[in-house]
Amino acid sequence: MTQAGTGHTAEEDKGGLRTALAGLTTRGRSFLAAGVAAAICAYVLGQSDLLRVGLLLAALPLVCATVLFRTRYRVAGSRRLSPGRVPAGSEARVHLRMDNISRLPTGLLMLQDRVPYVLGPRPRFVLDRVEAGGRREVSYRVRSDLRGRYPLGPLQLRLTDPFGMCELTRSFSTYDTLTVIPRVEALPPVRLTGEAKGYGDGRQRSLALAGEDDIIPRGYRYGDDLRRVHWRLTARYGELMVRREEQPQRSRCTVLLDTRGIAFQGAGPDAAFEWAVSGTASTLVHMLERGFSVRLLTDTGSSVPGEGADGFAGASQESADAAGMMMDTLAVIDHSDGTGLSRAYDVLRGGNEGLLIAFLGDLDEEQATVLGKMRQRSGGAVAFLLDSESWVREPSAVPGPLDRSVDRLRMLREAGWTAVMVPRGASLADLWREADRQRTHVASTGTTAGGGGT
């Protein structure tokens, strides 16, 4: 998606002579100091020729500053991001455009855009003389390994005189925002538990309530398919009656992200929490591509997109828009102060929630019990349980005991979850396949798997 910055006019005039003198460069200050020193020496020594030289040296930077300050360039600047939403670790290009909308050509212009330090060095450009009505276009690249929303701008324009004696800076008033979303990993098209509910061969059907006439079976109309005739009602009413139309109902998928600060350790782009956020983003995109109605749910009970009564991205909202909303949320999501998952449990109101996929941090026994109750309110449930301790431990360190993590994994599986342990540096695509193998094994044996992680 391309975003465009609105062009604004930069006109000189704030302050007076003090502003112009403050813009003197090192060369201009040196000329001024040399001129004053020569004038003092000429007065002491009585040398009139030296006095004239000193006055010339001192007057040159002052004249340049005055002329530059009085010169009124009218230029318009715009910024365009391509794209405006970029995954972490990828580059975006920023296009800058300057238009001279006055009747006079400009002098030498130095263009500078403000960018956060995390996006790279501050870009600077030198623009030669811009003719009246002319334009100049430049571009630069930005990149961030950290997700977030970063402001770009405001754009600064630095004016200078031909002798380099004075520089004045003018700023535009607007800025744009670059959204760095989590990395998205392509997932294999496996069939998970609960997927068939409302989808595929076993999909549910829902009434297509297109209008008042479709609330009850209606009378036969010319052109109706005779296969839709409801013969029992036809005999009852004495005229041909047709059945209501049906249409397939989209599957639902809720992706639960555990954001509790106490559930994750470590920080930075390689931390366990960042893996969970990236896994959540990959899952949301994958399920949207497969035609599911999806929503993002966190432990705080907040739901995105949250449109409509059920909070899913339904037919009233395009999948691309829904994905954009959820990605924007994941770009800035951070740890919560919560200690439990009860608020998320309250959002799952009934047993028709479809597929539930959860990315979880460290769990205690109470939260594992709450997750067991969540399983009863979904058609199928898949959990990716991260052991945060293993993510902060050095790769060469001796692994510590996993008794607690294994016990929580066992509790989830006994509650009906397809639960997979996530070791450090794991690939979500591989874990996705492992979840499918685990589901297939449980379905073929009719038992609940237990034991350790994968």
Side-chain angles (χ1 to χ4, degrees):
M1 176 181 177
T2 301
Q3 295 180 349
T6 304
H8 287 267
T9 300
E11 280 191 314
E12 289 79 284
D13 260 10
K14 279 188 179 179
L17 183 60
R18 182 180 300 178
T19 303
L21 293 177
L24 289 176
T25 62
T26 302
R27 178 185 298 178
R29 294 177 188 274
S30 300
F31 268 69
L32 182 61
V36 172
I40 293 175
C41 292
Y43 177 77
V44 173
L45 299 176
Q47 297 290 330
S48 59
D49 293 339
L50 183 60
L51 178 62
R52 284 192 290 270
V53 173
L55 292 176
L56 176 63
L57 292 177
L60 182 59
L62 296 178
V63 171
C64 289
T66 303
V67 172
L68 185 64
F69 183 77
R70 294 294 182 182
T71 301
R72 298 180 179 273
Y73 297 132
R74 299 186 71 241
V75 293
S78 63
R79 182 190 299 104
R80 179 171 56 88
L81 310 183
S82 178
R85 186 185 291 117
V86 62
S90 300
E91 291 184 343
R93 183 168 289 275
V94 183
H95 302 268
L96 302 178
R97 172 176 161 177
M98 300 299 300
D99 293 271
N100 182 10
I101 58 178
S102 66
R103 297 181 179 179
L104 299 175
T106 69
L108 188 66
L109 302 178
M110 285 178 284
L111 196 62
Q112 177 177 279
D113 205 9
R114 290 185 178 181
V115 300
Y117 175 76
V118 70
L119 295 183
R122 182 171 294 183
R124 295 180 175 90
F125 304 94
V126 177
L127 304 181
D128 203 355
R129 178 178 178 273
V130 182
E131 64 279 5
R135 71 177 62 168
R136 296 290 185 273
E137 294 185 4
V138 294
S139 65
Y140 64 93
R141 294 178 295 180
V142 290
R143 180 181 182 274
S144 174
D145 292 327
L146 300 175
R147 57 187 176 82
R149 301 188 68 192
Y150 301 101
L152 299 178
L155 194 63
Q156 290 183 329
L157 193 64
R158 185 174 297 177
L159 312 175
T160 184
D161 65 280
F163 301 102
M165 297 289 180
C166 183
E167 291 181 354
L168 294 180
T169 301
R170 296 291 181 261
S171 296
F172 295 87
S173 60
T174 60
Y175 64 91
D176 293 288
T177 301
L178 175 67
T179 303
V180 180
I181 62 176
R183 292 183 178 91
V184 175
E185 183 177 352
L187 301 180
V190 302
R191 192 176 185 85
L192 299 174
T193 304
E195 220 175 279
K197 186 171 183 180
Y199 198 71
D201 297 334
R203 62 191 174 188
Q204 295 175 334
R205 312 287 289 185
S206 64
L207 298 179
L209 302 181
E212 295 294 333
D213 293 339
D214 289 322
I215 297 178
I216 59 174
R218 57 176 175 80
Y220 176 83
R221 297 171 184 170
Y222 179 76
D224 285 338
D225 192 342
L226 292 176
R227 289 175 295 183
R228 291 174 50 205
V229 174
H230 197 295
W231 297 107
R232 183 178 300 177
L233 289 177
T234 297
R236 178 178 176 182
Y237 290 102
E239 61 177 320
L240 286 176
M241 303 293 292
V242 295
R243 298 184 182 90
R244 289 175 286 182
E245 295 179 350
E246 296 180 340
Q247 65 180 12
Q249 183 183 30
R250 297 183 72 187
S251 294
R252 291 179 173 182
C253 177
T254 299
V255 183
L256 171 63
L257 175 61
D258 183 4
T259 65
R260 296 172 299 139
I262 61 174
F264 296 92
Q265 300 180 37
D270 297 326
F273 180 69
E274 294 302 320
W275 190 97
V277 173
S278 177
T280 300
S282 302
T283 302
L284 288 169
V285 172
H286 177 73
M287 302 310 287
L288 278 171
E289 290 176 348
R290 298 200 63 185
F292 279 68
S293 292
V294 300
R295 68 175 170 185
L296 169 64
L297 180 64
T298 67
D299 58 288
T300 61
S302 62
S303 177
V304 181
E307 187 174 283
D310 54 9
F312 287 86
S316 63
Q317 187 175 24
E318 294 294 335
S319 295
D321 295 336
M325 291 178 60
M326 290 182 282
M327 289 300 165
D328 288 346
T329 301
L330 291 176
V332 297
I333 200 166
D334 203 354
H335 292 295
S336 69
D337 298 329
T339 58
L341 302 171
S342 57
R343 292 183 179 178
Y345 170 74
D346 293 337
V347 176
L348 304 176
R349 296 168 298 178
N352 60 343
E353 298 294 333
L355 182 62
L356 174 61
I357 302 176
F359 290 84
L360 308 168
D362 292 336
L363 301 174
D364 55 24
E365 187 173 353
E366 179 182 355
Q367 304 314 316
T369 302
V370 173
L371 286 167
K373 296 178 181 179
M374 286 186 185
R375 173 63 184 89
Q376 301 172 6
R377 295 191 172 187
S378 62
V382 182
F384 296 95
L385 181 62
L386 286 84
D387 180 23
S388 299
E389 258 186 60
S390 69
W391 284 77
V392 298
R393 187 172 55 237
E394 292 295 330
S396 58
V398 178
L402 296 177
D403 294 342
R404 177 174 174 177
S405 299
V406 171
D407 182 60
R408 301 297 176 258
L409 198 69
R410 177 187 56 80
M411 292 180 64
L412 291 178
R413 290 176 176 174
E414 289 179 349
W417 284 79
T418 300
V420 180
M421 182 70 73
V422 180
R424 180 176 181 175
S427 168
L428 179 59
D430 294 338
L431 297 176
W432 198 258
R433 295 187 185 95
E434 174 60 26
D436 179 55
R437 287 193 294 267
Q438 186 182 133
R439 178 199 66 82
T440 304
H441 173 72
V442 173
S444 61
T445 59
T447 58
T448 301
T454 58

